[in-house]
Amino acid sequence: MSVDESQNFSDIKTFYIQSPLNPINETLANHLSSTITEQLITKGLTPSEEENADVSVGYLPSTTAKEDGTTLNLGLGTGSFGRSGGISLGSIFSIPVGEQTSLQQGLQIDMVKDGKFIYSASGSVELESKDSISIQKKLDELVIKLLEQYPSSAIQN
């Protein structure tokens, strides 16, 4: 997690969530967007149209498979923040899973104001099962964890 300490977060009242920075399942993208929106509302922010928002929120989901001590990263993504590569989250269902393979779901959330990153958080959770409902629940936990450090000065009284 990284915060621009020079930013006055109490000036930030509205946000706009961009489309995911890499191609993912549309249902999962909508769910992630909703979860991020809910968490930012609890921080005192209000959703807004892109042209009226104080900050733009981008998110980048990724999947990592670990097998026999080696790591394979999937879904580094493409988008306006300069990342390259990409694979949909739906593709994790086609990864051959042996007994020594574990999957981790990663997520990065970036907040940009006036072309400058002001908040960035990333993390991952291990997936015990690969069905969509389990993945959604793990992503919810991850969104809450990543946004809990968003500066409390943004909370309106």
Side-chain angles (χ1 to χ4, degrees):
M1 201 270 315
S2 183
V3 178
D4 177 358
E5 299 296 337
S6 67
Q7 177 62 49
N8 182 356
F9 283 88
S10 61
D11 287 344
I12 299 171
K13 310 279 189 228
T14 59
F15 67 94
Y16 171 78
I17 297 184
Q18 299 176 336
S19 297
L21 298 176
N22 56 350
I24 64 169
N25 173 296
E26 187 177 345
T27 303
L28 206 49
N30 290 336
H31 181 80
L32 263 173
S33 215
S34 295
T35 305
I36 292 169
T37 298
E38 289 169 15
Q39 290 306 305
L40 291 176
I41 288 172
T42 66
K43 297 288 186 176
L45 301 177
T46 306
S48 174
E49 295 298 317
E50 185 173 13
E51 58 274 3
N52 300 325
D54 294 330
V55 292
S56 184
V57 180
Y59 62 97
L60 177 70
S62 62
T63 304
T64 305
K66 292 185 178 181
E67 186 170 359
D68 298 323
T70 60
T71 301
L72 170 66
N73 289 314
L74 305 172
L76 296 177
T78 59
S80 59
F81 294 164
R83 296 178 179 92
S84 61
I87 189 170
S88 73
L89 284 179
S91 298
I92 66 174
F93 302 117
S94 66
I95 293 175
V97 178
E99 292 188 25
Q100 300 300 315
T101 302
S102 65
L103 288 177
Q104 288 196 326
Q105 180 59 60
L107 181 64
Q108 179 170 333
I109 300 174
D110 293 321
M111 299 178 85
V112 176
K113 181 174 190 223
D114 301 326
K116 182 178 171 189
F117 288 99
I118 61 163
Y119 184 88
S120 182
S122 62
S124 64
V125 289
E126 190 156 335
L127 300 176
E128 285 91 28
S129 62
K130 289 130 200 84
D131 63 276
S132 295
I133 292 173
S134 298
I135 292 170
Q136 272 185 189
K137 287 179 181 176
K138 287 294 187 177
L139 281 170
D140 288 351
E141 293 171 17
L142 193 51
V143 167
I144 291 166
K145 179 180 160 191
L146 295 180
L147 291 176
E148 72 185 357
Q149 297 298 315
Y150 185 81
S152 58
S153 62
I155 298 175
Q156 301 167 353
N157 295 328

